[in-house]
Amino acid sequence: MENGDSKVRIGFYVCHCGTNIAHTVDVASVAKYAAGLPGVVVARDYKYMCSDPGQDLIGEDIREHGLNRIVVAACSPCLHEATFRTATARAGLNPFFCHLVNIREHASWVHTDRAAATEKVQDLVRAACGRVRHHKALERKRVTVRPEVLIVGGGIAGIQAALTIAESGKKVYLVEREPTIGGHMAMFDKTFPTLDCAACILTPKMSQVKAHPNITLWTYSEVMGVEGFVGNFKVKVRRKPRYVNEEVCVGCMECIEACMYKQPKFDDEFNQRLGKRKPVYIPFPQATPKVVLIDPETCLHFKTGKCKQPCIASCSRNAFDFNAEEKIEDVEVGAIIVATGFKPFDPARSPKYGYGHFPNVYTSLEVERLVNASGPTGGEIVMRDGRKPKSVGIVHCVGSRNLQTNRWCSKVCCMYSLKLAHLIKEHAGAEVYNFYIDMRTPGKGYEEFYNQLLEEGVHFVRGKVAEVTDWAMTPEEEGKLVMRVEDTLAGFVRRIPVDMVVLSVGLEPREDSQEVRRMFNISCSSEGFFLERHPKLAPVDTATDGVYLAGACQGPKDIPDSVAQAGAAAAQAMALIDKGYIEMEPNTAFIEEKECSGCKSCIPLCPYTAISFNEATVKAVINEALCKGCGTCVAACPSGSIKQNLFEDVEIFSEIEEVLANA
Amino acid sequence: MPETFEPRIVAFFCNWCTYTAADLAGVSRMRYAPNVRIIRLMCSGRVDPQFILEAFARGADGVLIGGCHPNDCHYIEGNYKCLRRFRLLRRMLDDMGVEEKRCRLEWISASEGDKVKKVINEMVEQVRALGPLDLPGRFRDWDKEVAALEHAAPGASEPCDAHAHAHKEEATHA
Amino acid sequence: MPEKPKIAFYWCASCGGCEESVVDLAEDILMVVENVDIVFWPVAMDFKKKDVEAMPDGSITACFLNGAIRTEEQEEMAHMLRRKAKILIAYGACAHLGGIPALANQFSKEHVMEWAYDKCPTVTNPSRTRPQTSYKDNGRTATLPAFRNVVRALDQVVDVDYYIPGCAPTPALLKGAVVALLSGKLPPKGTTLAPDIALCDECPRKASKPTDVGYPEFKRPHLARIDPNLCMLAQGFVCMGPATRGGCGALCINGNMPCTGCFGPTSRVRDQGAKILSSICSSVAPKDEAGIDAVLEGIPDPVGTFYRYGLAHCLLRRKVSLNDSAEVAAK
């Protein structure tokens, strides 16, 4: 028999989950209880239902006892529903005759009273056994998956993912908001703990991206909207005008030389506003694509219309196009990798450190530019007042591990602070003090790097800096920034005068993470980073099929972790598109034509326009391929003529009735 | 009111936000009152007001609906449809004498495991303070004034089953 | 010549409209009279309760009982007719779902009595006399049947075989039922003898409803002009049609009034009011609470609007906070 409930034979299984469930729920009595429920033929408890022997148990019972319904009381269906459905299908029973009861996340882990937890589980089990008798055999439908992948964000994570996928022969669209790819990594000088030059390891990858035949690189572009669903996303990308034809410009930079502004006059964003640029510029020499662009906010032509435009004359390739307009590109992709990165904490939010007040207080990212040979000072550590520091204090955990700002540990700050300490000592020969709460150096070669710095004579003070002040109490403090800190190892409050303060700012979600999240229909965790489907077992998946995460948009990460995660996201995306199809869950809605009165109540409710009015039959019809299975139309159908597979009224009503049958 | 009254609350949680948040509460080992029975739906838009009435009629002392925050619905707008129905249902329940605190709609995102705990604990206490709704008991009380239904099966819990006819297989007679 | 089927008609808490609908059969009533023996019809002919009592159990082929059950007497008659009839048919909205009388399930018995015998502006009752179940006068005792706390549909008191919906049922439905009875071609027990599809199916204004309705407001029929050609819901009038069985030929719509739901829900729906609420509210235009509430203010009495004929069969049955025993004790 396939459908109906005339001869229901239920097999019931309750999982101990080691002691995770059995500790709080009396599983033996649950099994005994289930055995007495109508239709239950077999009721067992087992140590680990998800293990192979546990799954085999189901199959054996199906064959031996002619079971036609399976109820497993174990963990969340989000975790193991697929496992048990597959086990059911292996034994020749339609997988949708199997139903999972969540008694771990929703019972044993959240309750302490064993009797109350067991009673609750019995209610849930009764409800499941009630609903499952109405289950029907269902088929998963196959939907073709487009082979292209969209990657949003061209930092190291996006680059790595793009190259991995492109190398496999699949087409990639890489969209980057800034005029160049490279992200934060391109701003770094060296990378910890090996002290490789960031540019040396990153820029070859950037060039590879540009050159790769399978990668369409759209910089200075943003994703405007995403429609569709796994395998068939329709994406709109806005490409902002550079006023320079990207295909023609070779990045000779003659035009920058020729610009009416003889001296760079405007804040250089790439250099953290420590340097200047002209209205026509290239963010940094290895920018990719190596193409100039014009900033219309500062360009004389755009501001006054009265520029002689020597840039045009200087261009032998005729690349300028001052009439360029923004372009909208429409692409269709099968999978999306979100790699939008992070935002450094703004230390102005912690005024006690004096950032913005004392010119010689810097953020770590600014110092990255100062120590960089291609930075605004050519790699020399020169402070805003023109002096070279003889002593530098590096404050760890700025914005992190703090109830007033961000609660989380930003993971990378200890290590990059050590790196900066090393670089500052190397470049300036200064005395360097690290002020830390805890030194967190887990990672390959990280602790060794810390030990190396201890040997190099960098000072370490364990304590939170209370204040950075210019109020001198002694002659030595005159003209210095004084760091007030309780040295918790020495056990007293110290005042350490330094020339320069470096704030190791934490990592936080980008300002637009909420909009981005909505656009891709994914979630954020409480701190605002994008939420992975499972923290351990699905770290790059999201709740939306076909959308994956890579890099620091999911949480603070260093470069090795970002690269590894990008690889994982690429692998997930490839697994999806390489298969070429996906099987859709069959929980779609359908209309019984003879029951439908054609009242049209349901039609405007469907956000996917899956419901339409058939003028010939004068009834509504649901296009199953477009239906996502939310069930909103089902709840709203005033004559009860729309049904949702797996969530039929009769199934839910029986759950309600049974769950309360003991009340 | 019996001294040992333990409220029985039926919850309808959407798969993507609130159900996942309840999973998160579990993974985070948050402890909350064991009085809630969660029924999983794909979307709060699937919550048919009939389910809420049926739950009360079957003995729920409270009904909790959990969906994604506004703008966050996995299905774009299912939660708004739920909200619109809830606003009128709430008023109608009031007219029918069901206290406001017995039926609650909460937006709980997938990351708000702590909110699941807070809402459930709070609601259990509020409903506990209201005492049992016990509609099956009230139905029995009301029906004491009439003779038992002639067709009532022996030992049937409800001498007058309000749903009897809805449950029957009914054929079309056009 | 074989014996003709015996038919009974009876009324309980009802307005008499259902009785009228029998007469509305017009010439067809001749067909009925020709083919059946009417053994009990107190409205039209002189029968006594003892006549029915005297009949053997199961001797009436079919009894059409209209009206809700509110009093002890109605209950007693329902039980008796159930015994005497092979087929008991709940005839009309009151017997089917409680009907208009069941709107009283929002109020206590005391409230109803107080209104009817005291507070109602058209009542003059200075001595505040109330009906009593027994009254002694001149050595004789007059009795009245007890008035119950709850209004019930017929199937909440006795077992019912079939339902004929409507306030009142249309002659076509009655004729169809009689023909089915005579031919012995009856559907399974429990069936409602009307189409199991909502009214919109036969509504003459069906085509005028757009597919993108979003309600910016609701209007009440007595406070606004009704376009005689456009779908009621499209005009913002609450129409129960989508949640109500068809079979009436859209009588009210043809009279330019919205459907008020007297045929009850389809077989697939447990609670008609909850379903129309769900359907209509889903398409309210605003998304914010205040905006939604403002639109829904146009439905000031959801219980009276959505359960006009079906409150006894609402899943909650009655205003649940009514406490009959406490009220009696307080007296």
Side-chain angles (χ1 to χ4, degrees):
Chain A
M1 61 153 275
E2 282 288 88
N3 288 327
D5 67 346
S6 50
K7 293 187 197 92
V8 165
R9 296 177 64 81
I10 302 172
F12 173 78
Y13 305 87
V14 55
C15 180
H16 296 224
C17 195
T19 57
N20 279 301
I21 292 170
H23 180 262
T24 323
V25 173
D26 183 349
V27 287
S29 85
V30 169
K32 209 172 142 198
Y33 177 79
L37 292 172
V40 174
V41 177
V42 181
R44 302 183 194 278
D45 62 285
Y46 192 75
K47 201 90 183 157
Y48 287 105
M49 278 310 295
C50 62
S51 67
D52 282 349
Q55 294 185 46
D56 291 347
L57 207 56
I58 297 175
E60 286 158 21
D61 284 346
I62 289 175
R63 283 183 290 270
E64 193 174 322
H65 298 280
L67 304 178
N68 51 31
R69 299 290 190 280
I70 301 297
V71 173
V72 184
C75 50
S76 171
C78 302
L79 208 60
H80 271 312
E81 190 171 61
T83 309
F84 295 113
R85 279 184 179 165
T86 308
T88 304
R90 270 201 305 272
L93 191 62
N94 186 286
F96 298 98
F97 284 131
C98 171
H99 188 73
L100 198 55
V101 192
N102 186 345
I103 63 164
R104 192 179 70 174
E105 284 82 349
H106 289 190
S108 72
W109 277 352
V110 287
H111 304 317
T112 42
D113 180 332
R114 194 171 161 86
T118 304
E119 193 195 328
K120 171 169 171 175
V121 166
Q122 288 176 348
D123 287 348
L124 295 174
V125 164
R126 200 173 53 237
C129 290
R131 122 190 280 283
V132 82
R133 61 177 56 243
H134 301 288
H135 278 211
K136 292 181 178 138
L138 300 169
E139 297 300 328
R140 289 192 177 94
K141 264 202 330 293
R142 283 190 177 185
V143 175
T144 332
V145 170
R146 295 192 62 95
E148 303 88 349
V149 179
L150 169 75
I151 298 175
V152 190
I156 181 59
I159 290 171
Q160 180 72 20
L163 287 172
T164 308
I165 295 169
E167 274 303 293
S168 80
K170 306 291 183 201
K171 179 120 184 68
V172 173
Y173 297 97
L174 178 59
V175 177
E176 166 60 49
R177 176 181 286 170
E178 301 296 329
T180 174
I181 56 170
H184 282 105
M185 185 176 172
M187 297 172 185
F188 301 158
D189 181 48
K190 299 273 168 48
T191 57
F192 62 76
T194 48
L195 299 176
D196 302 82
C197 140
C200 310
I201 55 177
L202 178 64
T203 50
K205 279 185 174 290
M206 290 161 60
S207 315
Q208 258 180 290
V209 166
K210 178 70 190 142
H212 207 293
N214 287 337
I215 299 179
T216 301
L217 174 61
W218 286 331
T219 54
Y220 212 41
S221 304
E222 284 181 45
V223 177
M224 290 165 69
V226 180
E227 281 177 15
F229 53 96
V230 55
N232 298 275
F233 293 106
K234 292 186 172 58
V235 183
K236 261 193 186 348
V237 179
R238 178 197 353 230
R239 303 191 62 200
K240 291 175 274 186
R242 291 171 185 261
Y243 307 106
V244 172
N245 188 333
E246 212 175 307
E247 311 303 318
V248 179
C249 174
V250 289
C252 70
M253 302 197 270
E254 292 288 337
C255 49
I256 301 180
E257 219 24 65
C259 179
M260 285 301 281
Y261 285 98
K262 287 302 152 207
Q263 289 302 318
K265 194 177 167 209
F266 305 102
D267 279 344
D268 175 357
E269 297 87 353
F270 186 81
N271 278 322
Q272 302 299 301
R273 302 177 184 276
L274 294 171
K276 301 289 179 195
R277 61 157 172 81
K278 294 183 179 179
V280 55
Y281 70 105
I282 192 162
F284 65 103
Q286 297 94 341
T288 305
K290 197 175 179 200
V291 173
V292 298
L293 73 155
I294 289 171
D295 171 17
E297 298 294 312
T298 52
C299 172
L300 265 186
H301 169 76
F302 283 104
K303 285 173 74 85
T304 65
K306 286 180 188 154
C307 182
K308 276 186 266 173
Q309 296 180 299
C311 50
I312 297 181
S314 76
C315 184
S316 55
R317 296 177 61 87
N318 235 335
F320 282 91
D321 175 8
F322 277 85
N323 297 319
E325 283 180 3
E326 100 175 4
K327 263 200 292 191
I328 306 292
E329 308 266 5
D330 289 293
V331 290
E332 292 183 38
V333 298
I336 296 173
I337 296 175
V338 179
T340 49
F342 66 94
K343 170 169 107 49
F345 175 78
D346 173 9
R349 284 169 61 198
S350 296
K352 61 184 176 178
Y353 298 128
Y355 182 78
H357 182 62
F358 302 123
N360 292 342
V361 177
Y362 286 81
T363 68
S364 43
L365 201 52
E366 287 168 342
V367 177
E368 292 281 359
R369 295 314 299 155
L370 284 183
V371 295
N372 192 297
S374 64
T377 56
E380 268 204 87
I381 302 179
V382 182
M383 298 189 295
R384 288 189 175 95
D385 63 6
R387 291 186 299 138
K388 292 181 183 176
K390 292 196 176 59
S391 52
V392 178
I394 300 178
V395 184
H396 292 220
C397 297
V398 173
S400 307
R401 306 182 68 194
N402 187 322
L403 292 178
Q404 268 79 50
T405 51
N406 297 327
R407 298 174 70 125
W408 60 89
C409 165
S410 292
K411 198 174 179 182
V412 294
C413 318
C414 281
M415 283 307 294
Y416 81 59
S417 298
L418 294 177
K419 173 192 77 182
L420 289 176
H422 172 89
L423 293 175
I424 291 167
K425 208 165 169 65
E426 188 181 75
H427 286 239
E431 287 298 317
V432 182
Y433 299 86
N434 273 269
F435 300 91
Y436 67 99
I437 307 174
D438 298 291
M439 190 58 70
R440 294 185 169 177
T441 59
K444 197 173 179 181
Y446 290 11
E447 183 72 5
E448 292 89 327
F449 186 66
Y450 173 37
N451 287 327
Q452 179 193 327
L453 260 89
L454 287 170
E455 282 167 22
E456 283 175 8
V458 171
H459 306 286
F460 289 91
V461 179
R462 201 186 84 171
K464 280 181 91 167
V465 174
E467 174 182 43
V468 173
T469 175
D470 60 353
W471 183 45
M473 290 178 73
T474 61
E476 304 89 80
E477 291 179 359
E478 290 293 344
K480 302 266 188 182
L481 293 169
V482 181
M483 328 244 338
R484 285 209 313 128
V485 57
E486 182 190 358
D487 185 332
T488 58
L489 291 180
F492 59 90
V493 176
R494 294 173 69 175
R495 293 174 61 89
I496 299 175
V498 293
D499 295 321
M500 179 184 191
V501 173
V502 180
L503 303 178
S504 295
V505 291
L507 277 53
E508 51 179 35
R510 298 191 74 99
E511 295 100 329
D512 61 352
S513 61
Q514 293 295 325
E515 290 97 90
V516 172
R517 167 176 80 80
R518 282 187 192 123
M519 190 153 61
F520 294 101
N521 196 11
I522 58 180
S523 305
C524 283
S525 41
S526 54
E527 70 279 6
F529 290 109
F530 298 142
L531 186 65
E532 65 284 349
R533 180 175 285 178
H534 190 279
K536 295 170 186 69
L537 300 177
V540 300
D541 298 69
T542 66
T544 298
D545 288 332
V547 179
Y548 307 98
L549 302 174
C553 63
Q554 180 257 348
K557 259 176 217 69
D558 60 14
I559 294 166
D561 281 2
S562 292
V563 169
Q565 205 198 14
Q572 291 290 66
M574 285 196 293
L576 170 73
I577 58 178
D578 219 40
K579 195 172 171 192
Y581 67 87
I582 39 147
E583 288 189 319
M584 304 293 279
E585 282 299 298
N587 58 342
T588 47
F590 59 97
I591 294 174
E592 295 283 3
E593 192 184 294
K594 67 175 198 312
E595 297 173 356
C596 172
S597 74
C599 76
K600 304 178 197 167
S601 304
C602 53
I603 295 171
L605 302 181
C606 182
Y608 308 101
T609 59
I611 317 179
S612 57
F613 193 69
N614 182 335
E615 295 291 349
T617 59
V618 280
K619 302 194 182 242
V621 275
I622 292 178
N623 179 341
E624 225 184 316
L626 294 176
C627 173
K628 302 286 170 298
C630 65
T632 299
C633 60
V634 187
C637 175
S639 65
S641 307
I642 311 183
K643 295 184 176 66
Q644 182 187 11
N645 286 323
L646 283 175
F647 295 92
E648 286 198 28
D649 278 356
V650 62
E651 289 164 344
I652 298 164
F653 277 131
S654 64
E655 252 186 295
I656 297 169
E657 286 158 24
E658 293 298 333
V659 88
L660 289 162
N662 246 8
Chain B
M1 186 190 316
E3 267 174 53
T4 54
F5 169 57
E6 279 300 330
R8 192 65 59 105
I9 293 170
V10 172
F12 298 99
F13 282 179
C14 84
N15 183 62
W16 304 97
C17 285
T18 315
Y19 192 92
T20 309
D23 276 4
L24 176 64
V27 173
S28 318
R29 306 298 198 279
M30 291 170 180
R31 305 294 175 182
Y32 57 79
N35 305 56
V36 173
R37 309 288 181 260
I38 297 169
I39 292 178
R40 173 175 169 240
L41 300 172
M42 293 314 282
C43 178
S44 55
R46 177 69 184 95
V47 179
D48 186 329
Q50 289 188 108
F51 298 163
I52 298 165
L53 299 186
E54 184 73 66
F56 282 127
R58 294 279 168 177
D61 299 298
V63 175
L64 171 63
I65 306 156
C68 308
H69 284 269
N71 289 323
D72 286 3
C73 177
H74 185 80
Y75 299 105
I76 307 176
E77 319 209 294
N79 52 356
Y80 292 121
K81 280 127 194 172
C82 179
L83 173 67
R84 293 168 185 153
R85 295 171 196 152
F86 182 79
R87 295 306 298 171
L88 191 55
L89 181 73
R90 195 37 284 153
R91 181 143 65 83
M92 200 173 87
L93 285 174
D94 199 47
D95 292 346
M96 290 298 283
V98 178
E99 296 94 335
E100 185 181 348
K101 288 196 162 53
R102 293 196 191 271
C103 188
R104 183 161 170 172
L105 171 64
E106 284 289 341
W107 307 135
I108 304 177
S109 79
S111 62
E112 295 177 309
D114 53 336
K115 192 169 175 188
V116 170
K117 169 186 165 166
K118 183 180 150 276
V119 166
I120 287 181
N121 282 342
E122 201 176 277
M123 186 164 176
V124 167
E125 285 322 305
Q126 288 171 345
V127 174
R128 191 192 303 280
L130 288 172
L133 181 65
D134 188 24
L135 286 192
R138 292 190 199 204
F139 294 163
R140 279 192 297 273
D141 276 352
W142 296 344
D143 286 338
K144 278 179 189 155
E145 66 178 4
V146 293
L149 267 186
E150 284 185 347
H151 68 123
S157 57
E158 286 170 67
C160 179
D161 187 346
H163 319 300
H165 117 255
H167 293 186
K168 277 174 204 149
E169 290 290 322
E170 206 173 343
T172 307
H173 180 78
Chain C
M1 188 176 152
E3 204 180 321
K4 287 199 260 182
K6 294 190 171 67
I7 300 289
F9 295 99
Y10 190 67
W11 61 346
C12 289
S14 61
C15 65
C18 286
E19 306 285 350
E20 205 57 51
S21 73
V22 179
V23 182
D24 281 349
L25 280 173
E27 294 88 68
D28 283 331
I29 202 157
L30 301 174
M31 176 275 285
V32 175
V33 171
E34 198 171 299
N35 289 291
V36 303
D37 270 341
I38 296 175
V39 295
F40 185 53
W41 191 7
V43 167
M45 302 176 216
D46 187 17
F47 292 98
K48 299 291 181 232
K49 181 179 160 196
K50 63 175 171 26
D51 301 334
V52 185
E53 258 170 349
M55 297 177 195
D57 285 359
S59 62
I60 301 174
T61 312
C63 172
F64 294 80
L65 196 152
N66 72 76
I69 308 297
R70 178 93 210 215
T71 68
E72 191 184 7
E73 178 210 24
Q74 290 158 356
E75 192 189 322
E76 187 189 337
M77 288 302 291
H79 278 285
M80 185 169 73
L81 287 165
R82 170 68 281 184
R83 277 197 309 278
K84 304 296 172 193
K86 279 200 204 65
I87 297 168
L88 180 64
I89 297 168
Y91 185 76
C94 301
H96 178 203
L97 303 164
I100 297 283
L103 284 170
N105 279 351
Q106 294 173 90
F107 311 101
S108 66
K109 181 167 92 180
E110 173 54 28
H111 181 104
V112 171
M113 289 292 174
E114 190 176 49
W115 181 257
Y117 291 96
D118 192 359
K119 296 273 167 68
C120 178
T122 56
V123 168
T124 310
N125 183 9
S127 61
R128 299 203 168 166
T129 308
R130 292 278 184 94
Q132 307 292 316
T133 47
S134 81
Y135 181 73
K136 283 195 171 55
D137 181 42
N138 282 336
R140 292 177 304 172
T141 303
T143 59
L144 275 178
F147 191 80
R148 301 300 191 203
N149 293 307
V150 182
V151 181
R152 292 178 172 81
L154 185 59
D155 64 0
Q156 291 171 323
V157 177
V158 293
D159 190 21
V160 168
D161 297 298
Y162 298 103
Y163 303 84
I164 297 181
C167 180
T170 58
L173 285 189
L174 175 57
K175 188 182 165 192
V178 172
V179 168
L181 262 175
L182 293 174
S183 62
K185 284 179 190 152
L186 280 164
K189 182 178 163 173
T191 303
T192 300
L193 304 177
D196 199 7
I197 187 165
L199 180 67
C200 304
D201 183 57
E202 63 193 40
C203 179
R205 302 190 192 179
K206 177 173 172 178
S208 69
K209 188 178 184 189
T211 53
D212 59 348
V213 162
Y215 303 113
E217 61 169 341
F218 289 108
K219 295 180 281 198
R220 305 181 73 191
H222 59 292
L223 296 176
R225 221 186 73 79
I226 304 178
D227 180 330
N229 298 309
L230 183 60
C231 165
M232 293 288 178
L233 282 161
Q235 301 182 54
F237 296 105
V238 173
C239 179
M240 292 287 288
T244 304
R245 269 176 200 267
C248 62
L251 283 172
C252 294
I253 307 293
N254 289 326
N256 205 22
M257 283 299 279
C259 168
T260 51
C262 71
F263 269 47
T266 64
S267 65
R268 304 171 291 282
V269 169
R270 289 191 184 190
D271 191 295
Q272 187 184 15
K275 262 303 190 187
I276 191 73
L277 179 149
S278 185
S279 164
I280 288 181
C281 292
S282 299
S283 287
V284 161
K287 290 180 178 177
D288 60 300
E289 263 179 39
I292 294 167
D293 287 352
V295 173
L296 293 173
E297 272 175 24
I299 307 175
D301 175 18
V303 175
T305 310
F306 301 148
Y307 295 101
R308 186 159 305 166
Y309 306 90
L311 194 56
H313 262 294
C314 163
L315 288 168
L316 303 179
R317 292 187 56 193
R318 186 185 181 212
K319 182 163 183 171
V320 300
S321 51
L322 297 176
N323 191 333
D324 309 314
S325 44
E327 200 168 277
V328 171
K331 282 280 145 186

